[in-house]
Every structure is written in structure tokens, then in C-alpha cells.
Amino acid sequence: MTSSAPAFSASTLTRLTVTSDQTRHASGLQLGSVNLGTESFVFKDARIQTKIDGMRFGTTTSENGGNLTIGLNIQAAGITAGNEPKVGPMNLAMQFRKLDLATILKLQKDARAMQKGGMPEMQAGMMMFGKMLESLGALAKKSPELEITQFSFKTP
């Protein structure tokens, strides 16, 4: 059985900006913020052209008492697909709190070891997924939280 995903015939990225303000935690983990933005991103396949204006991705990571907090913010000024009306602006902001730092660091160490091990990508991915499932109990001990702090999406 084979499957084929539509391939992009063309894509254009206009005015990419990347900012980073990070420090290395004693554990070796990078904490701080990383932001990526573009004025516009256009991609086409055989059927349709999609344009995303004012796209922004941002993350913040901090540690407090052995807990990791990760913030994620995704924004777009507008999205146009084919001849459909423009949607947007949109904004999604969320925070993951009380993530056990020791468990996250163990997962990171396991992932790096698998990358260095030279095993096939699919096998490494399946093994990493298994490691993540094993870690769910340890992550759940501190009652982690997910909060969507902002969600807005304007439709026509």
C-alpha cells in the first residue's frame, strides 16, 4: 500500500526574522525565549495557493523548583487559501506548567543517544515514542497543567 502526499510545487518566505534570548540552565537546558516571524509565507501545490501573512511563532521556557514552564504563542495577521475569503487575524497562546524537569532531561538524553546510535529514523522515532509513553507517569506526578491563555480567530 502506498500513499502520496501532495508535494508543494513552490513556496516563498518573505522577510524572515529570528530572535533568541536564552541562557543555559545548570542542567544544560536552554531557558529563555525564541521568536520566529515572517512577513508572508506562500505555498502552492497542484490545486491551490495558500498565503499566510504576518506569521509569528514564539516560545518561552523557564524553570522554578524543578518544574519547567513552557509558553507557546502562534499568530497570523491573515490566511488566504485559493479563492476563499481571508480569515484572521488569529492568535493562540498557551502554557504548559509543572513539567518535571528531571523527566524532561531524561527524555532529552535518551533522544540524543538514539540520534547518535545511527539507527534508522523510523525505528528511532518509534523507540522515542515508547520512551515518552513510559515517562507519562513521572510527568503526571507533579500534576502538570495546560492553559490556553488566549485564543482568537476572526472568520468572514
Side-chain angles (χ1 to χ4, degrees), residues 66-70 96-101 104 139 142 144:
N67 291 322
L68 196 60
T69 298
I70 301 171
F96 299 90
R97 296 187 199 101
K98 297 183 185 176
L99 297 172
D100 183 56
L101 181 61
I104 299 290
L139 284 172
K142 292 189 175 182

Side-chain angles (χ1 to χ4, degrees), residues 12-85:
T12 306
L13 194 60
T14 306
R15 292 194 180 143
L16 177 67
T17 59
V18 178
T19 59
S20 176
D21 181 13
Q22 295 188 312
T23 57
R24 186 171 299 276
H25 183 264
S27 65
L29 195 63
Q30 295 281 43
L31 301 177
S33 64
V34 176
N35 296 288
L36 173 101
T38 181
E39 187 175 290
S40 71
F41 178 50
V42 179
F43 51 97
K44 300 181 208 179
D45 65 18
R47 300 171 293 143
I48 195 166
Q49 173 177 301
T50 302
K51 181 179 181 186
I52 305 172
D53 291 315
M55 185 170 59
R56 306 274 181 267
F57 294 99
T59 64
T60 57
T61 309
S62 61
E63 185 273 338
N64 185 10
N67 291 322
L68 196 60
T69 298
I70 301 171
L72 175 65
N73 190 6
I74 303 168
Q75 300 175 329
I79 303 170
T80 308
N83 295 324
E84 296 296 319

